[in-house]
Amino acid sequence: MPLFSFEGVSPTVHPDAWIAPTATLIGDVVVEKDVSIWYGAVVRADFGKIVIREGANIQDNSVIHVGDGVCEVGRNVTVGHMCLVHDCTVGEQALIGNGATVLDQAKIGSRALIAAGATVAPNAEVPAEVIALGNPAKKFVPLSDSARAWIDHNAEIYQQLARRHRDGTKPV
């Protein structure tokens, strides 16, 4: 897995995490147990620290970067494909939909769903257990049954899939 030290600070990855061989982690990154970081993802902590809590998944081609503080991705969070998560806090079991952007100092509540393609503006706060829609995401609606199902099960599905990739993916 491509791990890079930056100015003497190296990523710390729990042995039970899975990092795809084409994902890149740079600098002060902490990856906890059962995290998966998928193909093409970049997690770059050169100004501050990035903490990815237990069970979270960072899907293909997503980027996480931090300013001079701490960017935290909570326990069992899903960051979908091609997302930008920049210098913010994502609460436990939230789901960031494909192609969404979450910007500086935003706070995403636990079990919130950021709709695919939505942009959460700097300093915005998304309450717990809502769907955030729009660009910028200003419309908050209650979780639907299907959204609740994604939030309830997605982290576990990706933890199982990561184990399959750890055991079943080989270079050819």
Side-chain angles (χ1 to χ4, degrees):
M1 75 185 93
L3 303 178
F4 296 95
S5 172
F6 178 74
E7 296 179 344
V9 181
S10 299
T12 303
V13 177
H14 191 282
D16 291 334
W18 180 74
I19 311 299
T22 59
T24 304
L25 281 62
I26 304 158
D28 196 2
V29 176
V30 175
V31 175
E32 293 185 350
K33 181 180 180 181
D34 293 330
V35 165
S36 59
I37 301 178
W38 291 81
Y39 303 93
V42 175
V43 182
R44 180 166 56 94
D46 45 11
F47 290 118
K49 182 176 194 163
I50 297 171
V51 179
I52 303 173
R53 297 284 180 208
E54 182 175 340
N57 63 91
I58 312 304
Q59 295 179 14
D60 310 71
N61 295 314
S62 286
V63 173
I64 300 177
H65 188 240
V66 64
D68 62 1
V70 176
C71 178
E72 183 171 346
V73 176
R75 190 170 176 268
N76 291 322
V77 162
T78 292
V79 175
H81 307 286
M82 297 181 63
C83 293
L84 172 61
V85 174
H86 195 271
D87 198 24
C88 59
T89 301
V90 182
E92 185 171 320
Q93 209 164 352
L95 193 153
I96 312 299
N98 294 342
T101 300
V102 182
L103 294 172
D104 305 55
Q105 305 308 306
K107 291 185 172 83
I108 308 302
S110 62
R111 296 180 51 79
L113 188 152
I114 308 305
T119 297
V120 178
N123 300 304
E125 291 196 29
V126 175
E129 301 219 10
V130 299
I131 301 172
L133 303 153
N135 193 348
K138 291 185 176 181
K139 182 177 180 182
F140 304 140
V141 300
L143 291 175
S144 64
D145 289 341
S146 63
R148 193 174 306 283
W150 278 105
I151 288 170
D152 288 344
H153 302 291
N154 205 66
E156 181 182 337
I157 289 166
Y158 266 83
Q159 288 165 20
Q160 292 172 5
L161 186 58
R163 287 189 284 276
R164 290 176 56 206
H165 275 261
R166 179 189 344 253
D167 297 339
T169 302
K170 307 290 182 229
V172 292

